[in-house]
Amino acid sequence: MAAAVDPHSYTDKRQPLTTHISLSLYLSFPTTTLQSSALLTLSSAHTGILSLDTRSLTISSVVDADADTLTPIPFSLSPHPDPIKGTLLTIHLSSHSRILIAFTTSPSSSALQWLSPTQTFSKTSPFVYTQCQAIHARSIFPCQDTPAARITYSARLNLPASLSAVMSARHLHRRLPLPGEAAMACDDSMWCAEDRVVEEFVMEQPIPPYLFAFAVGQIGFRDVGPRTRVYAESVPSLLDSAAREFAGTEDMIRQGEKLFGPYDWERFDLLVLPPSFPYGGMENPRMVFLTPTVIKGDATGAQVVAHELAHSWTGNLITNKNNEHFWLNEGFTTYAERRIVEVVQGEDRAALNVGIGWRGLNDEMERFKDNLEFTKLKQNQEGVDPDDIYSQVPYEKGFQFLWRIERQIGRPAFDEFLKKYIATFKFQSIDTETFLDFLKANVPGIEKEINLEVWIEGTGIPPDALEPISNIYTKIVSLAHEFKNGRLPREEEVADWGGQEWELYLENLPKSVEASQISALDKRYRLAESKDYEVKVAFLQLAITAMCRDYYGEVEKTLKEVGRMKYLRPLYTLLVQFPGREDEKLLAKRIFMEARDTYHPIAQGVVEAILSKHL
Ligand code: BES
Ligand code: ZN
């Protein structure tokens, strides 16, 4: 029997952990594969079995990296992949501490999206990028793919000379390939003849494998601060608008340092990805990945950056030991994000964000009403795919818990507590119990003031959670409640509304509004055509619920233009979840068939799960 540390990994705690991985990746765009090698250094020499996670990798050899001659080491792959964990790679070591694995990724690698030129902004060059959180690093290289295991890494990416690479690591240099690196396993003479370069990177700080990241394409950049560059496909108008959107980044880093302690990652660069990027943002260290949908010249871009920046302390410095404690990552980060937003955008804006989150948390209670486990902060995720249960609960219930503690002990004491927590556990992966012990030790008697068990183990929203109170928040929510009498908001009431105000308004409308009222609202305020996807998608959700078929064209267009799962999930779910709505189900199926190839593999899987649950 294996001794698991993580329900989502084959990592065995009786075996040594990997401390460093040295990767060579040959990017083959014609075959959409990486021909690779990984040199794993273990924390100590080991005799016996080493269990590694892989998914859809073809392993060609495992050899002893310490021997002068390349001595093979016996290995085997489990015959049937587990649908969640993937394929176990078993290596039989005899006093080995460094092993070299040669392997190739599959075109369907769940972490990689290979984009053809037509799927990019530039339309001229291909593009490839990674998304490893939560458990997809194993589809790029064999590893102990659990956040309990931290690794440093170095990487050599061999790519066409017309492209360039960025990584969640320090860039060392770009050079010509050495003779041995020229064309690994190249079977296409035209592509073999192409000019290649090697870009080298190193990550010297130990990170959980889910923070491994790279992107390769025709990438340009603009400097926007002393430690921040914005990278994007090298289209001048895109680079310019991205640089404008993220101009305030240095200010936020300084605020973060004031609140949470030194920024430990040296650089804080941003990469704007093509529209198929499945998340709003991903906190890859030194190189945050962002959806282009946040570039719209309002407060949202900065909010997403504040969130990913906050992960530099909560998540990347202190990491959850496994995904059952994910709230330690996202709850703390949501709290920290709002503290930064409060300083740079003001208390009202922060309260608005808390309010949008509050609505989201309440909606998740409805989504999980038959699956209460996922309304808990600490969850049992045995046999559960993290992508299928991704929700606002760890974010917003986690935020509420920390806000509750702040209210109890006061902000100055809580700020000091946070700083000490971060300094104490940095570069460690911890669980909920470790946090609770630290809390009780540093805030004596807290368990008498707050029912910690209800917060951590309980389902639903605890009675001492708090709906925010602020002028704009309260006004918008009561306007939304008045809508059930058929009352549209007046022009002067919405005159100064931006996207977030509209989002809050739409999300608080009664779920039962009628089709005619939906159209009336749209006729006056043109919400279905909003350039702001938060507004547009919130509106389209109401339209689908009310079966307002005039808007299905817009739904289809949206599902085909962006691959951000925050939009795909609710739109597909609403199309298929109502019994008896056969036309809508057919529509969802057709759109997915046509759009599937443009989605990242993770998004493909998530939409497939939604459709198969209801069809
Ligand atoms: N780390 C998450 C994204 C993520 C979570 C990817 C789980 C894979 C698995 C990131 O920090 C995040 O929370 N992004 C949000 C941004 C928002 C809260 C401002 C998103 O993508 O919507
Ligand atoms: Zn996050």
Side-chain angles (χ1 to χ4, degrees):
M1 244 336 250
V5 289
D6 181 332
H8 301 118
S9 170
Y10 290 111
T11 301
D12 188 319
K13 62 172 148 222
R14 295 163 305 190
Q15 302 167 7
L17 292 177
T18 308
T19 56
H20 182 81
I21 300 189
S22 172
L23 285 163
S24 294
L25 309 176
Y26 182 98
L27 284 88
S28 167
F29 281 93
T31 61
T32 60
T33 61
L34 304 173
Q35 288 140 27
S36 318
S37 72
L39 194 164
L40 274 57
T41 304
L42 303 179
S43 61
S44 59
H46 183 61
T47 298
I49 282 175
L50 180 70
S51 310
L52 299 178
D53 297 302
T54 76
R55 184 183 291 123
S56 60
L57 298 180
T58 305
I59 311 287
S60 44
S61 67
V62 181
V63 300
D64 180 357
D66 283 322
D68 295 336
T69 53
L70 297 179
T71 335
I73 301 176
F75 69 92
S76 63
L77 288 168
S78 60
H80 303 292
D82 177 273
I84 297 164
K85 289 196 283 191
T87 303
L88 166 65
L89 169 61
T90 305
I91 305 179
H92 299 269
L93 300 180
S94 37
S95 162
H96 294 104
S97 63
R98 295 196 327 138
I99 53 174
L100 180 66
I101 307 173
F103 62 96
T104 306
T105 63
S106 148
S108 63
S109 161
S110 62
L112 296 169
Q113 187 176 21
W114 298 84
L115 296 167
S116 64
T118 53
Q119 290 174 280
T120 63
F121 283 105
S122 71
K123 310 284 177 214
T124 55
S125 304
F127 195 99
V128 62
Y129 71 93
T130 62
Q131 167 57 44
C132 290
Q133 198 181 13
I135 50 168
H136 299 285
R138 67 193 64 178
S139 73
I140 307 181
F141 53 90
C143 58
Q144 289 155 322
D145 192 5
T146 167
R150 285 174 171 268
I151 47 165
T152 55
Y153 73 81
S154 60
R156 282 158 301 284
L157 270 55
N158 184 316
L159 41 121
S162 58
L163 306 181
S164 57
V166 296
M167 284 199 86
S168 58
R170 182 206 307 278
H171 186 242
L172 293 178
H173 46 249
R174 180 179 166 103
R175 58 167 173 83
L176 290 174
L178 303 170
E181 296 170 323
M184 280 166 66
C186 188
D187 48 14
D188 181 328
S189 58
M190 195 184 89
W191 281 85
C192 289
E194 133 199 274
D195 288 338
R196 308 280 301 190
V197 291
V198 172
E199 299 222 24
E200 292 200 42
F201 299 84
V202 58
M203 170 41 86
E204 287 149 334
Q205 291 144 302
I207 56 152
Y210 75 80
L211 291 177
F212 173 87
F214 71 77
V216 171
Q218 210 181 82
I219 296 172
F221 64 83
R222 298 270 190 273
D223 282 304
V224 296
R227 45 191 153 173
T228 305
R229 237 171 212 188
V230 178
Y231 292 84
E233 270 190 74
S234 98
V235 175
S237 59
L238 174 67
L239 285 165
D240 289 339
S241 57
R244 241 176 286 125
E245 184 78 33
F246 305 119
T249 304
E250 175 61 21
D251 191 23
M252 293 201 284
I253 306 174
R254 294 214 183 115
Q255 295 309 333
E257 292 192 294
K258 261 196 224 157
L259 286 162
F260 315 119
Y263 178 77
D264 263 324
W265 305 89
E266 196 177 45
R267 296 218 34 109
F268 182 72
D269 292 329
L270 306 170
L271 171 68
V272 177
L273 285 123
S276 61
F277 185 60
Y279 289 96
M282 176 64 214
E283 66 271 25
N284 299 316
R286 299 177 69 105
M287 184 65 69
V288 160
F289 283 20
L290 295 166
T291 170
T293 63
V294 299
I295 304 181
K296 51 196 188 208
D298 69 0
T300 346
Q303 186 219 325
V304 176
V305 171
H307 180 93
E308 307 315 333
L309 169 66
H311 273 301
S312 309
W313 292 273
T314 51
N316 299 5
L317 274 189
I318 307 180
T319 308
N320 51 236
K321 196 171 228 155
N322 64 49
N323 213 61
E324 300 186 322
H325 308 276
F326 187 49
W327 80 273
L328 288 174
N329 266 18
E330 296 300 347
F332 273 87
T333 298
T334 303
Y335 177 86
E337 163 208 326
R338 288 177 183 155
R339 292 296 302 275
I340 297 173
V341 166
E342 189 184 298
V343 184
V344 299
Q345 301 181 351
E347 277 180 32
D348 263 4
R349 185 63 38 192
L352 202 68
N353 289 337
V354 177
I356 292 173
W358 176 254
R359 179 74 258 145
L361 179 60
N362 281 273
D363 289 347
E364 297 291 27
M365 296 303 136
E366 179 61 25
R367 168 178 166 202
F368 290 126
K369 66 174 184 298
D370 299 323
N371 224 334
L372 291 176
E373 183 63 27
F374 307 120
T375 68
K376 296 181 182 171
L377 271 189
K378 191 179 81 177
Q379 305 178 350
N380 176 357
Q381 295 188 1
E382 198 65 54
V384 173
D385 185 336
D387 290 333
D388 289 341
I389 48 128
Y390 176 78
S391 88
Q392 293 300 300
V393 172
Y395 293 76
E396 298 299 341
K397 191 173 179 179
F399 165 82
Q400 284 283 344
F401 180 39
L402 298 172
W403 201 31
R404 173 72 186 84
I405 302 172
E406 186 206 306
R407 287 198 298 280
Q408 187 65 41
I409 68 177
R411 189 169 266 197
F414 191 66
D415 283 358
E416 208 172 303
F417 169 81
L418 264 187
K419 269 198 180 144
K420 187 168 173 199
Y421 167 69
I422 292 164
T424 305
F425 295 108
K426 66 182 194 172
F427 292 111
Q428 296 182 38
S429 302
I430 68 167
D431 57 16
T432 303
E433 286 65 38
T434 306
F435 167 71
L436 288 178
D437 289 345
F438 185 80
L439 175 68
K440 289 182 218 160
N442 285 276
V443 187
I446 189 77
E447 67 275 28
K448 295 193 199 78
E449 315 283 352
I450 300 177
N451 193 333
L452 300 176
E453 211 177 291
V454 163
W455 275 98
I456 299 295
E457 319 269 352
T459 59
I461 304 176
D464 50 343
L466 191 66
E467 180 173 5
I469 315 160
S470 85
N471 284 340
I472 26 173
Y473 172 77
T474 313
K475 206 171 99 201
I476 293 170
V477 171
S478 50
L479 260 183
H481 292 162
E482 282 171 35
F483 188 85
K484 64 172 173 300
N485 312 320
R487 157 147 147 50
L488 297 182
R490 287 189 296 272
E491 308 272 348
E492 69 271 17
E493 286 170 325
V494 305
D496 56 353
W497 283 12
Q500 290 182 323
E501 284 84 350
W502 274 109
E503 183 190 349
L504 183 69
Y505 176 77
L506 293 169
E507 287 173 353
N508 278 282
L509 288 180
K511 298 274 177 281
S512 56
V513 278
E514 283 162 28
S516 61
Q517 296 177 322
I518 301 281
S519 318
L521 183 64
D522 183 53
K523 270 206 190 72
R524 180 144 349 147
Y525 294 111
R526 296 276 157 229
L527 301 170
E529 291 148 42
S530 173
K531 297 260 170 304
D532 186 330
Y533 281 100
E534 303 295 331
V535 176
K536 182 178 182 142
V537 172
F539 177 80
L540 293 175
Q541 289 183 59
L542 292 165
I544 301 174
T545 308
M547 285 215 277
C548 217
R549 297 212 160 104
D550 294 350
Y551 294 105
Y552 288 5
E554 211 51 62
V555 172
E556 173 164 358
K557 204 168 136 243
T558 307
L559 291 172
K560 288 182 169 173
E561 273 149 23
V562 291
R564 187 174 172 188
M565 292 193 287
K566 186 177 182 190
Y567 309 141
L568 304 186
R569 270 180 224 273
L571 293 178
Y572 277 111
T573 303
L574 285 171
L575 284 175
V576 297
Q577 81 172 4
F578 297 101
R581 295 194 186 175
E582 296 311 318
D583 289 351
E584 279 76 1
K585 290 185 186 182
L586 284 176
L587 178 67
K589 254 212 258 229
R590 178 180 61 76
I591 298 174
F592 182 55
M593 245 167 51
E594 292 168 12
R596 187 180 187 280
D597 286 350
T598 68
Y599 296 157
H600 187 284
I602 298 174
Q604 292 180 8
V606 162
V607 177
E608 256 152 30
I610 293 172
L611 298 190
S612 66
K613 187 171 159 206
H614 295 282
L615 296 181

